[in-house]
Amino acid sequence: MECDKVQRAGVRIMKTAEYNPRHPASASKDNHCYIKMLCAFIAAVFLTTLTVSLPLGQDSHGGADTPLRFSEDGTFQISIFEDLHFGENAWEQWGPQQDVKSTGVMNAVLDAESPQLVVLNGDLITGENTFLENSTTYIDQIVAPLVERDLPWASTYGNHDSDFNISRRNILGRERLYRNARTSQMVFGEDAGVSNYYLPVFSSDGGWEPCLLLWFFDSRGGFKYQQTDESAQKIGQPNWVDHSVVDWFQKTRDSLNAHFNRTIPSLAFVHIPTNASRALQLDVGVDPYTEPGIDEDTPLAGQAQGWCADGTSDSDCEYGAQDLPFMKALTSTAGLLAVFSAHDHGWCFKWNNTLPGMDFTGNGLNLCFGQHSGYGGYGSWSRGSRQVLLTEASLAESEIDTWIRLESGDVISSVTLNATYGLDRYPPTADTHE
């Protein structure tokens, strides 16, 4: 990193004269080294400002000091693993065998791909099957393939990551014991969830102005940790992105764009999809040639499903519409190219119309699912991982290449999310099963 001219978020330091042993007026070598160290310190402070992380007490690592950056060839690839569901039926032989097979999926995909970041997009653990004393130790198994390859990762948490014997905060604490963990918490409050944060991605030229933002949202769900009601029943949690998180997102987004005086391209990740995905599936329909991918979750389960409009949980209430503010915030975000969800599995759809029950119109935002990655959870589809590839050049054109890499090594559902996605035709994806 050069110290000749360092400018970090309005802080500017000019380097003193180069050390020259023949010039008594020059700065000493010690002073020069001090300036270099000071420049590095300013850079670290700037990066920490962009990637505020939760002080967890026992947190000794977390990789906020190591930036995410486009590679030298101008590319940035993300591998998304979703619904791994480690810890399922741990008391039977079947359960631990599924965990071993899920690790095999991760190894097979990562051997075939070369991501700069791995996203664990929710339901890392089947929380209802875990024991209080060891519930978060499954994180060690989940991240082992990533630690072995020295890959950074970032997580969202899903509905199965919260239950009576497991909490999101404790999962975060376990993740943050690892140097390469990027998972964090930037919104606090009892109802906010945990995995709400963003990560900047910097350019390949060594600059320190973010050219891409990655937003992570906690869609909550599941049950509250170590709490029961007056009938000794577990207490459910809402299953949508909380309004406090929506407010934080909009303010932070606007602040970053204003600070850098431009719209920064971005991607978003959330475990439970919004109701827009369900409405697109049911009211518009998924075309296997223009939106290739699995479409067997019919209808898919979105945020606020099973909740009433007054905020009470009731299976008789189909949809409470509490995710409307989140959807409005997403569609009003200039430069947001795609939202990647899990929970259900399959296709990408371009949202550019008005959907039932909404008083706003989609702005062409791409809504994407991935592939079921773990052998826990429901469904017997071939396991795999969605890949997302961006280039510094494609960001200017708002284009993303994405495909599914299966455990078998096969590539399916390869598409380009661009201005004509939804009109372009692709080979249909076979719904292969194990």
Side-chain angles (χ1 to χ4, degrees), residues 1 38 97-98 103 116 140 189 240 286 302 307 319 326 356 397:
M1 168 180 159
L38 185 58
Q97 288 177 344
Q98 305 313 300
T103 298
Q116 279 80 48
D140 302 340
W240 59 86
V286 178
W307 289 76
Y319 170 60
F326 182 50
E397 303 298 327

Side-chain angles (χ1 to χ4, degrees), residues 76-82 105-106 108-121 146 151-154 216 269 340 373 384-390 402-403 405:
F76 189 80
Q77 182 175 339
I78 303 170
S79 294
I80 305 173
F81 294 95
E82 61 188 56
V105 174
M106 298 181 72
V109 169
L110 295 174
D111 285 347
E113 302 287 353
S114 300
Q116 279 80 48
L117 177 71
V118 169
V119 171
L120 305 175
N121 206 7
L146 314 180
L151 284 172
W153 73 85
F216 299 84
F269 303 87
F340 296 94
S373 302
S385 163
R386 179 170 290 283
Q387 309 301 305
V388 179
L389 178 64
L390 304 105
T402 183
W403 63 94
R405 173 73 68 172

Side-chain angles (χ1 to χ4, degrees), residues 261-313:
N261 196 30
R262 65 187 182 90
T263 297
I264 305 173
S266 59
L267 305 177
F269 303 87
V270 63
H271 179 69
I272 304 177
T274 64
N275 185 61
S277 293
R278 180 184 175 99
L280 286 165
Q281 181 192 49
L282 295 180
D283 294 284
V284 179
V286 178
D287 187 324
Y289 293 95
T290 55
E291 294 92 21
I294 295 172
D295 188 27
E296 292 188 357
D297 285 321
T298 305
L300 60 85
Q303 294 181 29
Q305 296 293 315
W307 289 76
C308 304
D310 63 2
T312 58
S313 177

